[in-house]
């Protein structure tokens, strides 16, 4: 039996905040070591790097900087999207991750990239009621929702899914919307 070598590591919802800096640093350290041990050079991040939507304390920003510097020291690339906790406005493309754009290959708008021969869609968090109009604004409706993708990374509440508190999501984002992707990885859900 031939064992396939993983191309990527996927991580999401680290929720860096005041008081958990060491924990999140250790989590990323484990991810980096796993990547090195398994000859993986690309990490896919599914959103919610931070917790606070209002502001990031200096200690939190320093920890984020350390994480991205360590990734660079290990020759690792982090490709990802902002989640709802990474944004001040859920209707905006902007996020706290923008300040790390040299260290983090952030897809702050709906984007398709080919990485390691795989076509990957990156669909950041937007208010669900505005998602389809945002996709049209970025003029990629005919691609991110219809072009065959090997993988879609997103951070959306999808109708029918249970939230972390047990409530069931009901909105206009149906899983069938992403039927063009072979696999869909959704951040946002912690369990």
């Amino acid at each position: 039996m031939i064992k396939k070598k993983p191309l990527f590591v996927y991580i999401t919802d680290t929720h860096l905040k005041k008081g958990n800096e060491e924990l999140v640093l250790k989590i990323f350290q484990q991810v980096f070591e796993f990547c090195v041990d398994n000859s993986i050079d690309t990490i896919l991040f599914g959103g919610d790097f931070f917790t606070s939507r209002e502001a990031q304390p200096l200690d939190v920003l320093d920890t984020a900087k350390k994480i991205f510097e360590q990734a660079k020291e290990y020759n690792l690339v982090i490709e990802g999207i902002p989640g709802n906790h990474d944004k001040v406005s859920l209707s905006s493309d902007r996020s706290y991750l923008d300040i790390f754009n040299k260290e983090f290959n952030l897809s702050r708008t709906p984007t398709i990239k080919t990485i390691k021969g795989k076509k990957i869609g990156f669909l950041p968090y937007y208010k669900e009621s505005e998602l389809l109009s945002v996709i049209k604004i970025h003029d990629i409706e005919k691609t991110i929702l219809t072009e065959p993708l090997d993988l879609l990374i997103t951070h959306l509440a999808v109708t029918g899914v249970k939230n972390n508190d047990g409530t069931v999501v009901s909105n206009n984002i149906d899983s069938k919307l992403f039927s063009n992707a072979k696999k869909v990885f959704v951040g946002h859900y912690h369990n």
Side-chain angles (χ1 to χ4, degrees):
M1 177 194 225
I2 298 173
K3 188 175 178 182
K4 287 186 176 182
K5 179 185 164 297
L7 298 174
F8 314 105
V9 166
Y10 173 74
I11 184 171
T12 188
D13 292 276
T14 52
H15 285 281
L16 177 61
K17 64 181 179 181
K18 182 88 173 147
N20 77 350
E21 299 95 340
E22 285 302 312
L23 173 65
V24 174
L25 200 57
K26 286 179 184 176
I27 289 169
F28 274 99
Q29 185 63 42
Q30 290 175 37
V31 170
F32 297 159
E33 290 172 6
F34 179 85
C35 287
V36 169
D37 291 346
N38 291 279
S39 302
I40 300 167
D41 62 5
T42 306
I43 297 166
L44 302 176
F45 189 82
D48 281 358
F49 190 89
F50 298 106
T51 294
S52 175
R53 292 183 188 124
E54 294 183 19
Q56 304 305 326
L58 188 55
D59 290 345
V60 167
L61 293 173
D62 283 342
T63 302
K65 184 178 178 195
K66 283 181 197 172
I67 289 167
F68 292 122
E69 286 173 348
Q70 284 182 354
K72 192 172 185 175
E73 288 171 15
Y74 282 106
N75 294 314
L76 299 171
V77 175
I78 302 176
E79 299 270 356
I81 56 171
N84 56 310
H85 284 270
D86 299 320
K87 295 182 169 191
V88 175
S89 168
L90 302 181
S91 299
S92 173
D93 295 335
R94 296 182 64 212
S95 79
Y96 292 115
L97 291 167
D98 289 356
I99 65 171
F100 298 104
N101 65 353
K102 289 184 180 167
E103 297 87 2
F104 187 107
N105 289 342
L106 183 68
S107 294
R108 62 195 301 254
T109 62
T111 306
I112 296 175
K113 297 179 180 180
T114 300
I115 306 169
K116 305 266 184 212
K118 301 294 181 186
K119 191 174 277 190
I120 303 174
F122 292 90
L123 187 54
Y125 183 89
Y126 293 98
K127 196 182 293 184
E128 283 79 9
S129 61
E130 299 172 4
L131 177 69
L132 297 178
S133 60
V134 166
I135 289 174
K136 285 180 184 176
I137 288 168
H138 290 291
D139 199 28
I140 63 165
E141 181 179 21
K142 292 184 178 131
T143 55
I144 199 139
L145 298 180
T146 59
E147 190 171 315
L149 300 174
D150 293 300
L151 181 60
L152 176 68
I153 305 290
T154 192
H155 195 96
L156 298 168
V158 179
T159 199
V161 175
K162 278 189 183 179
N163 283 323
N164 299 325
D165 65 4
T167 59
V168 177
V169 173
S170 178
N171 62 28
N172 66 333
I173 308 302
D174 188 282
S175 63
K176 292 176 189 161
L177 190 63
F178 311 119
S179 61
N180 61 310
K182 290 179 185 173
K183 293 187 188 280
V184 179
F185 287 179
V186 182
H188 201 45
Y189 302 101
H190 300 186
N191 48 3

